[in-house]
Amino acid sequence: MDKREQIIMAAMKLLVERGIQATPMSAIAKAAGTGMGTIYNYFATKEDLINAIYLHIKTSEINQTLKNIPADASVKSKFLGYYTSFVTFYLKFPESFTFIDQMQNSPVIKEETKIIGKNALLPVYELIIKGQQDGIIKKYEIESMLNFLGGTITTFVRWRLGNNNIDAENQLEQQLKMVWDAVKD
């Protein structure tokens, strides 16, 4: 892990635990094992650091998702694979989930950052559009569908993180069936 990533990971942990206002850059520097000057070499402001964390998470989640899905899989298999991969990513990295959950609609996240994050999801957009063109997925407006899917992922992950005593495999299987039933044409 390079110094920039060390700073991002330390900052994410502190921001999730303490919040933006209660997390000074000096605390981030200490947690990252670096000096303030080093942080400012990478990030001009706390807002820039927060936006970098957001993009780091979005890039990480889509990279994991894409590596787990065979290119020649059916639309349904890819869809369920994407969904499962997003859930798995956030269950594996709960601080990333909490950060995104807290910051998704925050004014601290710049519009430019949101656009870059959305562009990372281009393969998901393309899959849904292909599924719609092939008559496999309902022809709802793409943004509405992605908001619906994002909401189901967020709610499911939040529930799973708060309930360790559930039959996780069975619950994910049921979730996948419900989501697929909701979007299939």
Side-chain angles (χ1 to χ4, degrees), residues 21-86:
Q21 301 305 321
T23 307
M25 291 293 266
S26 58
I28 294 169
K30 183 177 179 181
T34 192
M36 294 288 291
T38 303
I39 288 182
Y40 287 114
N41 282 336
Y42 291 103
F43 310 102
T45 65
K46 188 191 292 188
E47 182 180 281
D48 289 344
L49 174 56
I50 290 168
N51 280 267
I53 295 167
Y54 181 92
L55 289 178
H56 174 80
I57 294 168
K58 289 295 184 183
T59 301
S60 297
E61 74 179 0
I62 199 65
N63 285 342
Q64 175 183 303
T65 298
L66 294 178
K67 77 178 184 180
N68 291 329
I69 311 297
D72 61 345
S74 69
V75 168
K76 179 181 179 181
S77 291
K78 282 184 180 180
F79 177 89
L80 296 175
Y82 283 158
Y83 194 95
T84 301
S85 191
F86 284 120

Side-chain angles (χ1 to χ4, degrees), residues 93-140:
F93 302 106
E95 285 177 344
S96 293
F97 171 76
T98 302
F99 182 88
I100 291 294
D101 195 31
Q102 290 174 354
M103 301 303 295
Q104 189 70 32
N105 295 309
S106 170
V108 174
I109 303 300
K110 299 173 188 171
E111 198 57 39
E112 172 186 326
T113 301
K114 289 178 184 178
I115 290 168
I116 294 168
K118 199 181 250 188
N119 287 341
L121 292 174
L122 192 58
V124 177
Y125 278 85
E126 290 170 348
L127 176 68
I128 292 171
I129 291 167
K130 179 177 178 7
Q132 289 175 332
Q133 290 169 344
D134 293 350
I136 298 167
I137 294 177
K138 291 178 180 154
K139 291 187 172 152
Y140 293 143

